[in-house]
Amino acid sequence: PQKGGMMQNLQLHGLVPSKAEYRKAAPPHELLRCGPISALISDMSHDHAADDMPPDALADWAMTHNAILTAYCADTTVVPMALGAVFSGKPAIIASLESQMDAHIAKLSALEGIQEFVVHLTTTPTRPPAQESPTSGRHFLQIQRNRRDGRHSLQKQQLAFAQAVLNQLQTPCLQIAAAGTRKADKLLNCVVLIRQDDVFHLQDMARGLHQPAQDLGLDLVITGPWPPYSSAALKAPVPEVCHVADA
């Protein structure tokens, strides 16, 4: 159909169980019932192809897509669809879902009661040490050695702390995976999947390690729950995949 001269399409944002209730806090969308599952859909009107959209429009599209999914994932199981799952109408969406219904039901079942969080452990700017005036050339060299040794000692302590955080994540988490690209200031940058009943472990860990992290010039931040994009295959936690900066 046409509306104002623009092509009217429907975007499929994700899937939820059929019993899920409508979330008014989310951006405008609709729950499309399809047997045992419901599709989160919304109108999408623009006169650009997805790969030819202006940057601002593309960013707004992605933020709206994520906001709809995030509004549901705190309280119910969500299987997110990739940005750009656009259909010509409801019949096309229903036909697509019915053709892969068993796989969709299996994914919803596998993710039931499981949530995704992101764990960041980032180095923060440290206050430079008090300047010490050298009294001789030998004293100057000693000052430089002390500063170098201090930096190396701090780096070792920070890496040990990062490993301790990672070790604590092993017990409650079902899966740990790297998040994003490696950055020098992030000792840990990982996505974790955890049962909703065990989320308090993350909360207790964040509270208990907040001050020790700050004492080492680190910032520990845990955010979520987020749409579980990182749940392609549930598997045992693998600590090696997390980002650990070089000393």
Side-chain angles (χ1 to χ4, degrees):
Q2 300 291 321
K3 182 178 180 180
M6 297 183 292
M7 182 65 68
Q8 183 77 11
N9 292 313
L10 294 175
Q11 174 163 3
L12 173 59
H13 300 281
L15 306 177
V16 295
S18 60
K19 63 183 179 181
E21 298 181 356
Y22 184 82
R23 300 291 189 268
K24 295 181 180 179
H29 69 286
E30 180 181 345
L31 275 173
L32 176 63
R33 309 290 180 182
C34 186
I37 65 177
S38 290
L40 303 174
I41 65 174
S42 67
D43 291 338
M44 179 180 170
S45 300
H46 61 77
D47 50 7
H48 295 276
D51 57 358
D52 191 35
M53 294 177 68
D56 289 347
L58 185 60
D60 183 65
W61 182 25
M63 292 295 289
T64 300
H65 170 70
N66 188 68
I68 291 173
L69 295 171
T70 302
Y72 282 83
C73 66
D75 300 314
T76 191
T77 309
V78 175
V79 173
M81 295 292 152
L83 182 68
V86 179
F87 294 80
S88 59
K90 292 180 182 179
I93 293 176
I94 292 174
S96 176
L97 295 180
E98 289 180 341
S99 69
Q100 303 180 59
M101 184 62 73
D102 289 345
H104 294 319
I105 293 174
K107 192 64 176 292
L108 280 168
S109 177
L111 289 175
E112 185 176 4
I114 295 173
Q115 293 182 328
E116 176 173 309
F117 288 79
V118 176
V119 180
H120 293 303
L121 183 64
T122 309
T123 57
T124 59
T126 57
R127 181 179 300 178
Q131 294 294 327
E132 183 180 356
S133 300
T135 58
S136 65
R138 179 175 295 180
H139 187 205
F140 173 80
L141 293 176
Q142 185 61 48
I143 291 174
Q144 298 305 311
R145 282 194 293 268
N146 290 343
R147 290 177 178 173
R148 179 198 61 199
D149 292 345
R151 288 194 300 270
H152 288 173
S153 176
L154 178 60
Q155 288 174 341
K156 288 182 179 180
Q157 292 179 68
Q158 290 175 334
L159 288 173
F161 185 86
Q163 186 61 53
V165 172
L166 196 53
N167 291 342
Q168 289 198 36
L169 290 172
Q170 300 300 303
T171 300
C173 294
L174 300 171
Q175 180 174 307
I176 302 174
T181 57
R182 182 169 180 158
K183 296 182 179 179
D185 65 334
K186 289 191 182 299
L187 299 189
L188 288 179
N189 184 23
C190 56
V191 173
V192 301
L193 293 180
I194 186 170
R195 296 196 183 280
Q196 191 169 3
D197 292 342
D198 292 332
V199 170
F200 72 93
H201 287 295
L202 288 182
Q203 297 167 339
D204 287 347
M205 186 182 77
R207 284 191 292 264
L209 296 180
H210 175 71
Q211 189 58 50
Q214 285 198 330
D215 293 342
L216 290 173
L218 300 171
D219 186 25
L220 177 63
V221 177
I222 301 176
T223 62
W226 301 111
Y229 282 106
S230 303
S231 61
L234 290 173
K235 54 188 177 183
V238 182
E240 292 80 6
V241 301
C242 293
H243 296 175
V244 178
D246 296 327

